[in-house]
Amino acid sequence: MSMNTKSLKLKDFKYFTSVEARWRDMDVLGHINNATYLTYFESARIEYLASLGLNINRWEGDESVILASMKIDYFRQSAYPNTYDIGCRISRIGTKSFDILAAIFDKSGADPIVTGTFITIGFNYKTQETVPIPKSVRDAYHPF
């Protein structure tokens, strides 16, 4: 992705979810551990996909998705206690794949703490094959 994800703002997202940091999310250096942000992103992606009509907990369906790749950019530290707003949007769309762009903001809401781009593939778990991405995902794509 050629976009400078550090320049993302809250207004660049229409979908949000929130997460409360926990004391245990910090590492020995006193900031939220880098891997913990991946867990925050995972929860946000699942909720975002559900808002688009995709229940990825139903593996018996013909339409689902599977994560193929992720790219994470860390911009600054954050610590407990904190509440984070996580914005998600479709940032690229193809025939069988699409990207979910997500950003985590703290209470200040100014600049993202961390951003992630998640390459997601349309997938049928019954046949174990890729499939075209669902219409609901196509309809959610709005270029910057």
Side-chain angles (χ1 to χ4, degrees), residues 1 48 69 89-94 97-102 117-120 133 137 141:
M1 174 178 205
Y48 179 56
S69 177
R89 68 179 293 156
I90 307 295
S91 60
R92 181 196 62 83
I93 197 143
S97 70
F98 61 98
D99 293 354
I100 297 174
L101 174 64
T117 302
F118 304 89
I119 299 174
T120 310
I133 58 172
V137 172
Y141 174 61

Side-chain angles (χ1 to χ4, degrees), residues 36-48:
T36 300
Y37 290 117
L38 300 179
T39 302
Y40 296 166
F41 278 135
E42 180 179 50
S43 295
R45 278 195 325 276
I46 290 168
E47 290 177 26
Y48 179 56

Side-chain angles (χ1 to χ4, degrees), residues 19 22 25 32-46 67 69-74 84 86 88 102-104 113-118:
V19 65
R22 302 164 300 181
D25 294 345
I32 302 297
N33 183 274
N34 62 323
T36 300
Y37 290 117
L38 300 179
T39 302
Y40 296 166
F41 278 135
E42 180 179 50
S43 295
R45 278 195 325 276
I46 290 168
L67 183 64
S69 177
M70 63 179 133
K71 179 186 182 304
I72 309 298
D73 292 307
Y74 300 94
Y84 301 105
I86 306 170
C88 295
I104 297 177
I113 297 166
V114 56
T115 61
T117 302
F118 304 89

Side-chain angles (χ1 to χ4, degrees), residues 46-139:
I46 290 168
E47 290 177 26
Y48 179 56
L49 290 168
S51 79
L52 299 179
L54 285 174
N55 180 354
I56 66 167
N57 293 319
R58 290 187 54 227
W59 297 292
E60 72 275 0
D62 293 333
E63 285 185 339
S64 193
V65 295
I66 194 166
L67 183 64
S69 177
M70 63 179 133
K71 179 186 182 304
I72 309 298
D73 292 307
Y74 300 94
F75 299 113
R76 59 188 172 90
Q77 299 178 46
S78 182
Y80 171 90
N82 218 326
T83 301
Y84 301 105
D85 290 320
I86 306 170
C88 295
R89 68 179 293 156
I90 307 295
S91 60
R92 181 196 62 83
I93 197 143
T95 304
K96 292 186 176 184
S97 70
F98 61 98
D99 293 354
I100 297 174
L101 174 64
I104 297 177
F105 299 88
D106 64 10
K107 296 173 194 167
S108 72
D111 298 309
I113 297 166
V114 56
T115 61
T117 302
F118 304 89
I119 299 174
T120 310
I121 309 291
F123 198 73
N124 181 319
Y125 282 91
K126 287 191 293 190
T127 63
Q128 293 292 299
E129 295 177 337
T130 60
V131 296
I133 58 172
K135 182 180 182 323
S136 62
V137 172
R138 283 192 185 290
D139 292 345

Side-chain angles (χ1 to χ4, degrees), residues 11-24:
K11 68 177 177 55
D12 293 321
F13 298 91
K14 292 181 179 167
Y15 177 85
F16 288 95
T17 190
S18 295
V19 65
E20 294 279 333
R22 302 164 300 181
W23 175 261
R24 70 180 216 110

